[in-house]
Amino acid sequence: SMGAFGAWALAAAAPDLFAAVAPIAGGFAQEMPENTGLGEMLRRGHAELPITADMVGPVKDLPAWIFHGKQDTTVDERCSRSIHRALKASQRAQDTRLTIYPRAGHSCWRDAYKSAALSTWLLAQRSKAASRKRAQKQVAKRKAIGKSNPASGEKLA
């Protein structure tokens, strides 16, 4: 739960650093002070239900696969459902998934990490920052090729 709250908090603070987020058995709470304990985090996470599209704005373009156990007595699975709904409502184009394990409790991470699909999905994601750098390198390379090749039709500087 603290890992999921932390994953959302880090992703919201710096979404360009991450290619995707895969929180397990947690909730979403805005602006957590550094010394916030688990009890306070859970109170804030539950108090902020339902999560709105405005609240998830910083992470709306980040692919997310959210996991939760239906039998969780530590963090209510409604937290994950609410985040998922808010992300879908934000009109985002990226991939948003929700997996609720019907027989699992708070330790549903065991089920999530057993899934080969999660590993495959995570490895397929690319961060926006990395994509921008690749695109900038490609543009620079094309410009360099054009400048060194008068047959390209581009004028040399």
Side-chain angles (χ1 to χ4, degrees), residues 26-50:
F28 189 94
Q30 295 180 309
E31 296 185 27
M32 288 293 193
E34 189 176 312
N35 60 351
T36 303
L38 177 60
E40 177 63 17
M41 196 177 294
L42 293 174
R43 279 189 293 284
R44 286 183 187 209
H46 286 211
E48 293 185 10
L49 285 175

Side-chain angles (χ1 to χ4, degrees), residues 73-131:
T73 58
T74 304
V75 179
D76 194 303
E77 54 95 17
R78 291 178 301 159
C79 292
S80 289
R81 288 186 188 280
S82 186
I83 297 165
H84 182 254
R85 271 192 301 277
L87 288 170
K88 289 292 191 180
S90 70
Q91 302 296 321
R92 59 188 250 149
Q94 295 294 329
D95 188 12
T96 301
R97 300 175 182 200
L98 173 65
T99 299
I100 302 291
Y101 295 106
R103 291 181 191 76
H106 193 65
S107 297
C108 68
W109 58 268
R110 292 180 183 123
D111 296 311
Y113 290 150
K114 276 193 260 182
S115 168
L118 174 58
S119 299
T120 301
W121 181 82
L122 279 171
L123 292 170
Q125 306 307 314
R126 299 289 176 261
S127 74
K128 287 195 291 184
S131 296

